[in-house]
Amino acid sequence: MRTVSPSDTWVYALRLPHDPRAARVARMTVRSVLASHGRAEVSETVELLTSEMVTNSYLYTNGPASLRLTALADGRLRVGVWDSDPRIPAPFGRPPRDRVPIAPVDADRGRGLGLVEEYADCWGGVSLGDGSLDRRAGKLLWFEVSG
């Protein structure tokens, strides 16, 4: 007799409207998915970094975003955020990557991508083009954390 065990790999995808509540929805989704798969040990980090990336998508684009959460076979988690702006910000560009500039102490913003740089094991970005009529245009930014 053979025992069937659930796969260690899985993928969740979520389409997010251009809405200030999108980051909260993304955090809640990530928390729920990770808890249901017994990955609570990385939940805080993944929630924080996901929230920062979705917030940037809301702040710097006028369109929707998509979130994709993937468990890889080796235990890593990959989070990807797509949006309609093709520009790849630091630190997501090709190596040698630009460092994220340090935000002034009194700034209200400017620390989010620095958190990705600090807490993710690796990250990257791909520009998908800037065709205004092409729904696939924009960029995909991603990061990975070890579980």
Side-chain angles (χ1 to χ4, degrees), residues 3-76:
T3 304
V4 177
S5 62
S7 173
D8 291 336
T9 62
W10 41 261
V11 176
Y12 288 82
L14 177 66
R15 182 85 164 164
L16 298 160
H18 187 260
D19 186 295
R21 297 168 289 198
R24 181 173 186 265
V25 170
R27 277 193 312 273
M28 291 170 47
T29 300
V30 165
R31 182 180 308 133
S32 176
V33 167
L34 293 179
S36 71
H37 286 281
R39 303 294 301 269
E41 76 280 0
V42 295
S43 187
E44 266 187 46
T45 300
V46 175
E47 282 181 60
L48 172 65
L49 302 183
T50 300
S51 179
E52 294 297 339
M53 288 176 54
V54 171
T55 296
N56 281 354
S57 178
Y58 170 74
L59 291 174
Y60 300 110
T61 69
N62 293 321
S66 292
L67 170 68
R68 185 176 177 103
L69 179 62
T70 306
L72 303 171
D74 61 2
R76 290 175 295 137

Side-chain angles (χ1 to χ4, degrees), residues 60-126:
Y60 300 110
T61 69
N62 293 321
S66 292
L67 170 68
R68 185 176 177 103
L69 179 62
T70 306
L72 303 171
D74 61 2
R76 290 175 295 137
L77 288 169
R78 178 179 294 150
V79 175
V81 175
W82 169 88
D83 67 40
S84 59
D85 182 354
R87 188 184 67 79
I88 305 291
F92 292 95
R94 290 199 168 111
R97 291 186 171 92
D98 294 329
R99 298 281 303 170
V100 174
I102 297 173
V105 175
D106 59 344
D108 291 337
R109 307 184 197 186
R111 293 174 182 81
L113 296 183
L115 293 171
V116 173
E117 204 172 42
E118 182 70 26
Y119 292 105
D121 295 324
C122 60
W123 58 86
V126 177

